[in-house]
């Protein structure tokens, strides 16, 4: 695997790569990331990944400083997964000067759910994703469904800004007890790790109820929020939304149920399509 720490180095190698599938990451790779790399290989001649912890998408008081940096292990995993190029720039490469131009997705997409809880997060995320796509210039880019709202924002950005890339979603990878894999799971204590699968169980309960014909969505959401609170969580939201734009459902929309909640000092998110 070739590691590029400058834009010039990646751009010089790009013509040798043919059809390229790209998986951007912030590192601390787990099996969910590796599944995306494997899926990427089915879409192109060559797979490239990036590792960049993007300060711009972390809010004040969030975990930018303690976000796990595990570069050597990540490189081993990427090599083993057949990734041929890694773009791993320093902050000074991506932000050589304060970033003054930003992607500002519309409020109806960023003022809800994750956007409402993490003001500025999607502007910072979309800004770096656009920069990475312009640097790497892949034919295909893969993003996990675990960050469902992120995937929606990126799809809309790519469509509305005519970015020449196909966005491909990857399924969420889970531990045997249902917990969605996430770099942040490493923050959980042993007791919290044992409690954490409750989030998935509750989402699954809502899915089963809706599939069985239950229509009282507010009751399902409130009961799930109460159960989390009763077990020591601080929930931000549990919300059944339509998949297309994450707005409240109307009629026969295809649905997804999304959740975010803090367990101790760790904020977990998850979702299930219904
Ligand atoms: O999902 C992530 O890891 C990040 O939000 C991304 C897409 C790499 C942008 O920093």
């Amino acid at each position: 695997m070739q590691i590029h720490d400058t834009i010039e180095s990646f751009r010089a190698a790009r013509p040798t790569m043919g059809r390229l599938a790209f998986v951007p990451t912030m590192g601390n790779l787990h099996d969910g990331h590796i599944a995306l790399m494997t899926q990427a290989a089915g879409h192109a001649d060559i797979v490239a990944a990036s590792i960049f912890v993007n300060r711009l998408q972390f809010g004040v008081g969030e975990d930018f400083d303690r976000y796990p940096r595990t570069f050597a292990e990540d490189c081993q995993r990427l090599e083993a997964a057949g990734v041929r190029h890694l773009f791993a720039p320093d902050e000074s490469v991506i932000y050589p000067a304060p970033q003054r131009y930003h992607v500002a997705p519309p409020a109806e997409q960023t003022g809800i759910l994750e956007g409402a809880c993490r003001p500025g997060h999607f502007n910072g995320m979309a800004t770096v994703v656009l920069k990475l796509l312009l640097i790497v210039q892949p034919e295909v880019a893969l993003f996990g469904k675990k960050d469902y709202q992120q995937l929606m924002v990126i799809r809309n950005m790519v469509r509305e800004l005519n970015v020449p890339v196909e966005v491909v979603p990857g399924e969420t990878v889970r531990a045997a007890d249902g917990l969605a894999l996430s770099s942040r799971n490493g923050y959980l204590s042993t007791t919290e790790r044992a409690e954490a699968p409750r989030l998935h169980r509750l989402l699954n309960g809502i899915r089963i109820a809706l599939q069985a014909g239950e229509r009282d969505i507010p009751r399902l959401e409130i009961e799930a929020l109460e159960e989390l609170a009763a077990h020591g969580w601080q929930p931000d939201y549990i919300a059944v939304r339509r998949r297309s734009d994450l707005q409240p459902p109307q009629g026969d929309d295809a649905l997804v149920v999304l959740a975010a909640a803090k367990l101790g000092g760790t904020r977990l998110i998850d979702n299930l399509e219904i």
Side-chain angles (χ1 to χ4, degrees):
M1 183 173 73
Q2 243 179 289
I3 300 177
H4 307 273
D5 57 9
T6 64
I7 297 171
E8 293 73 23
S9 162
F10 194 92
R11 287 218 168 122
R14 178 65 185 91
T16 67
M17 296 180 202
R19 183 177 164 80
L20 182 66
F22 174 51
V23 184
T25 81
M26 298 203 299
N28 192 231
L29 303 180
H30 51 66
D31 288 351
H33 293 112
I34 300 306
L36 279 179
M37 308 295 161
T38 310
Q39 187 182 348
H43 287 271
D45 306 321
I46 298 249
V47 177
S50 64
I51 295 180
F52 180 67
V53 185
N54 175 38
R55 185 188 294 274
L56 235 55
Q57 70 189 74
F58 288 78
V60 178
E62 291 189 355
D63 56 345
F64 175 77
D65 288 325
R66 70 167 180 147
Y67 198 86
R69 275 104 170 148
T70 51
F71 189 70
E73 295 91 320
D74 290 348
C75 287
Q76 281 174 6
R77 296 208 69 178
L78 291 173
E79 286 254 26
V83 172
R84 298 275 296 280
H85 292 270
L86 173 64
F87 180 52
D90 271 354
E91 226 180 357
S92 61
V93 169
I94 297 294
Y95 302 122
Q99 184 76 21
R100 295 177 305 151
Y101 286 69
H102 296 93
V103 179
E108 73 265 20
Q109 287 170 20
T110 60
I112 57 171
L113 306 170
E114 281 307 274
C117 298
R118 304 181 65 191
H121 167 69
F122 285 117
N123 292 37
M125 182 283 295
T127 300
V128 84
V129 168
L130 183 61
K131 284 169 75 101
L132 291 169
L133 292 174
L134 292 172
I135 293 165
V136 172
Q137 302 197 6
E139 274 76 16
V140 181
L142 290 92
F143 298 87
K145 283 190 188 176
K146 159 113 187 329
D147 294 297
Y148 208 86
Q149 193 173 359
Q150 166 173 286
L151 175 62
M152 179 195 73
V153 167
I154 291 169
R155 278 181 151 149
N156 284 313
M157 174 183 78
V158 160
R159 195 183 60 247
E160 291 199 22
L161 295 179
N162 306 101
V163 184
V165 67
E166 180 192 352
V167 174
V168 172
E171 293 302 326
T172 301
V173 178
R174 297 181 181 281
D177 58 11
L179 179 65
L181 298 193
S182 163
S183 301
R184 292 188 167 100
N185 293 351
Y187 300 150
L188 297 168
S189 69
T190 311
T191 326
E192 289 163 353
R193 176 63 189 80
E195 170 62 22
R198 185 180 305 280
L199 193 60
H200 172 250
R201 283 202 301 277
L202 285 171
L203 295 182
N204 202 32
I206 292 176
R207 171 161 72 174
I208 290 167
L210 291 174
Q211 284 174 342
E214 173 63 60
R215 285 294 166 260
D216 191 349
I217 290 175
R219 182 180 64 77
L220 294 173
E221 292 170 344
I222 289 166
E223 283 178 4
L225 288 168
E226 285 174 353
E227 181 170 336
L228 285 179
H231 288 86
W233 297 67
Q234 291 167 270
D236 281 336
Y237 59 83
I238 293 193
V240 176
R241 295 296 171 99
R242 55 184 190 212
R243 288 186 202 175
S244 54
D245 56 6
L246 301 185
Q247 297 301 319
Q250 287 167 353
D252 283 343
D253 299 322
L255 301 179
V256 57
V257 55
L258 308 106
K262 251 181 141 184
L263 184 56
T266 308
R267 189 169 181 278
L268 299 177
I269 64 169
D270 200 355
N271 64 78
L272 279 181
E273 289 178 337
I274 290 156

